[in-house]
Amino acid sequence: MRRTIQIIVFLITSCFLQQAVAQNIAVNGKITDKTGTAIAGASVLLKGTTTATSSDADGNYRISVPESGAVLVFSYVGTNRQEIVVGTSRTINVVLEDSENVLNDVVVVGYGTQRKASVTGSIATLNSKEMLQSPVGDLSNTLAGRTVGVITKQPGGEPGSDAAQIYIRGNSTFGNSTMEPLFVVDGIVRAFRDFSQMDPNEIESVNILKDASSAAIFGVKGANGVILVTTKRGKAGKLTASYTFNYGLSQVTRLPKSLGSYEYGVLFNEAKLNDNPNAAPEFSLERLDGFRSGVDRELYPNTDWMDLVLGGTAARMQHNVSLSGGTEKTKYFTSLGYLNEDGLYKSLNYKRYNVRTNLDVQVTNTTRFSVDLSGRLENKLAPPSGGIFEHTMRNPPIFLAQYADGHLASPGSYPNPLALVSPESGYNRTSGNYILTNFQLAQDIPGVKGLSVKGVMAFDRNFNYNKTWNTWVPLYVKNADGTYGTTAPSQSSLSKTFNEGQGLEFQGHINYENRFGKHGISALALILQKENQDSRLRGARNSYESSALELINFGPAENEVLSDDENKTGLRSAAFRLNYDYDNKYFIQGSLRRDESENFAPNKRTGYFPAVSAGWLVTGEDFMKNISVVDYLKIKGSYGKLGSDRIASRFGYYNRYDLVANNYPFGGTLYNGLTPGAIANPNVTWETSTKTDIGFETRLLKNLIGVDFTYFKEDRKDILATRSLSVPLSFGANLPTENIGRVTNQGIELVLSHNNTISNDLSYYVSGNFTYAKNKIIEAAEAINVPAGKRITGRPNGGYYGYKAIGIFKDAADFNNSAKTSAFLATTGPGDIKYEDLSGPNGAPDGVIDDFDVTYLGGGALPEIIYGISGGLNYKGFELNFLFQGATRSQQMLTQNASWAFYNGGRVTEEWLDRWTPDNLDATLPRLSLNANGNNYVTSSFWLKDATYLRLKNVELAYTFKTEFLSKLKLSGVRVYANGQNLFTLTDILNVDPENTAANGWYYPQQKTFNFGLSVQF
């Protein structure tokens, strides 16, 4: 009987299964946005079940559903969710509308996410597509012009060392502190380089937290703003694969216009006679004629050193392979990236390998486990010499660089830059290995809706190795008989440095989110502990007799250098954040973080950092229903306190001593000793930043126009500095770091945007962002007797000070009737720079230019205003995107080879053709001189140049092939593109890039890049 029942049950079950299978149908279609662009990774869910899939890279999906009564739910981040009843049609194409104003749109914030409408802080977002448009090796250079509130300066363009300096809303500290933001990747604080050397293909978005409300959850680390990076994660559905490749060529954005040998010789003779009218000319007429005619370039050289060393092109190549997919239980994303950048000379190259795997596992219905593993290998090859740019900028054209047969020439006492960059000169090899991990376990609490707990552990490990071998490169002098003589050989040197470090972080989270009718509540409680440690070992020897073995042991021990450093840091924190909204219209957020930083004495380690913010969704009110012109309007404001414990000198509460090597003789032998360091200060603590924000966001005319406006103010107190401005040098000891400074910083941010879809085939957008940030030093512990013109209190942080130039002495009468510089009376005359007589010892002008006439000249090198203008056009499969970026209200104080003629026996640039002579009294530049320490080269407004610029930062032209064509090739998406970076720059500053930070011009110049690429989805 039992066996009979089992057979009957089996037969009945089989019938039902057959019937169920027979009643299922396959539905397919394509998911696009309003412009017709395919949406990859959109979710397709059979409502009321766990059956789901996602669209592929071309927007196509396929799902099995019951034949009748099925409802499909289509959703994607940033779009409106749609529910569609399955009818008789087996093909359902879906257009998902942007959900920019939808309350459920999600924004990544510190240690979590929030609905867009409930965000009351100031957050700027950069998406993956925007980052991929910029062909740069360093991710920090993608922020310029794209994100409001972010001020950047890129000091140079050397591969592997071309990072931008990032300031969120300007500069509000001085002394030994830093304005570098905090970098957080998937909830874990990382180093700047861990961010800047990421592959953009593995990033979903970058969010910049600028105000107290959004950044206060980071407490003592958040005063400078926070950059949050969210990496890509897998989505349920079939495996999708993508491959991207791009190849580009880079060249210098601009080179100084140096004069050739003939002009150099003429001007050199003139300068020599200006200094001494009785001097014999340096260059004879015969030699000048040789330079001008160019009949024999070995005998009469005309060398453009800048063009020889930096005037070529350099190749760059990038590959990335990404895999994504999974089920509702297990999702994965894997990325493998490769970057290879050559320098402008053969001995410079940078290679980087990036790998990332993000795995998400739904262990049970209430338990989730995530593992993020990422690694990075960096290898850089560079020349061993550090003087390449000095001598490339300095060397005059009258010296030969290379003979026709390839021998490198000796330019007399000048180093030959071609020898410095030659592979024969040795090498500077650096390799870095980085492993970053992130493990997270989240558990929903049964029986309490919206309550969950999460544990996080992150472990990082890095190893860095550098080996520098510097050896002699022969330089030749051609004899009259055609043979060569060489310069005296120099002995080789070797250094090796090994660094290793590790970090361990634990986090515990309690999260709660629920709605009770019109009341919405979400809360976060967090505890965190983080430890970092690193060590460095360096050994060096020089005067090697042989280059056969490049090992430390084979160098003479008497010239040995050995150093060993270890460091360890720790942080313990707790934080709480509470969000409340009423009827999705009124929002309030409060947060509090408690930090303990080991940088300070035990009784000064603990700090509390609160913040509060509120928002009002005005368009949620009934009285706005009939105002059709306004689609969305939210007013918001925030106030809070943050901190910064990132100071250059740690453990200032201890008395310290510095090691002095081989300085104390006992019995005829030198011994190491100690010398007192800075005086201890047990009261030193963190800087405190109080921030206030008020702003609004609005969308008008059916989302055609968008306006975002914010006014911000920061009051940073307890800035860590020394009393060097008030304590005389005769004090005799190193001053301690104290909390004595105060700076205010305020400004506005404005974003204007316009998006329009003309048809399914044609759409366009244009957007502009504007940031103005102006700071002022309120307290700096200055001495009370500092002259008013030299005081930094009440003026911008980082301002320039010097003499105020008011022209050039036109003639003897002008010279005799004007105040003159007291230090250079014997060498000053007509044609030299004239300075304003501002005051004397008694305060009134005294007819003498001296230290009392030094005054404030300008606000400094960091722009007070930075802006970006971007736009794009989409027509069928074609895309055209552009970005202009500019800055103003910034200056550069140029010195030495960046501006002065013949500095250190060096070159002279084109603008010096308009110098003062008795026949050119209205010249723009003073008379020529070989005296670099004279009247004309003191620090003054004459050499302070306006660094305003407008740069075509990026242009991209792309085409995405149609599905019909790709299906024949078994591909789901192909996109080809060409883009360029830093294509042209409009600026009045000469000889240097407007973002340059080296006053003397000795730097690897910024690059313009022309790039071609391909992206394929499988």
Side-chain angles (χ1 to χ4, degrees), residues 57 132 201 232 241-247 318-322 879 956 958-961 966 971-978 1012-1018:
L132 289 171
N201 291 279
K232 294 179 179 178
S242 67
Y243 167 71
T244 61
F245 162 77
N246 61 69
Y247 177 85
Q318 194 165 12
H319 299 265
N320 179 270
V321 177
S322 297
E879 296 176 59
E956 181 182 67
Y959 179 75
T960 301
F961 287 89
L966 297 177
L971 301 174
S972 59
V974 173
R975 183 175 185 265
V976 294
Y977 58 90
F1012 305 90
L1014 171 73
S1015 178
V1016 182
Q1017 286 77 42
F1018 302 92

Side-chain angles (χ1 to χ4, degrees), residues 92 140 194 216 319 377 384 398 432 450 569 654 700 720 870 880 939 947 957:
I92 301 177
S140 63
D194 292 332
H319 299 265
L377 303 179
I398 59 172
T569 64
Y654 283 130
L700 308 171
L720 293 153
S870 60
L880 176 64
T939 302
L957 177 64

Side-chain angles (χ1 to χ4, degrees), residues 32-34 78-82 95-100 102:
T32 63
D33 62 17
K34 63 182 181 180
T79 65
N80 294 332
R81 191 176 77 160
Q82 288 194 36
V95 177
L96 294 179
E97 297 287 338
D98 292 343
S99 63
E100 191 171 10
V102 174

Side-chain angles (χ1 to χ4, degrees), residues 466-469 493-497 538-541 544 552:
N466 173 265
K467 181 179 180 181
T468 301
W469 173 256
S493 62
L494 175 67
S495 72
K496 290 185 177 182
T497 304
R538 179 178 183 268
R541 289 182 178 180
Y544 279 68
I552 293 287

Side-chain angles (χ1 to χ4, degrees), residues 366 368 443-453 509-514 523:
T366 61
R368 298 170 299 281
Q443 175 66 53
D444 296 336
I445 304 302
V448 183
K449 182 181 178 181
L451 181 64
S452 64
V453 296
H509 299 235
I510 301 176
N511 288 281
Y512 179 74
E513 184 172 6
N514 206 350

Side-chain angles (χ1 to χ4, degrees), residues 31 42-48 53 71-75 81-84 96:
I31 304 174
S43 176
V44 184
L45 172 69
L46 178 59
K47 190 174 182 178
T53 187
V71 177
L72 292 178
V73 181
F74 299 86
S75 62
R81 191 176 77 160
Q82 288 194 36
E83 295 186 6
I84 298 177
L96 294 179

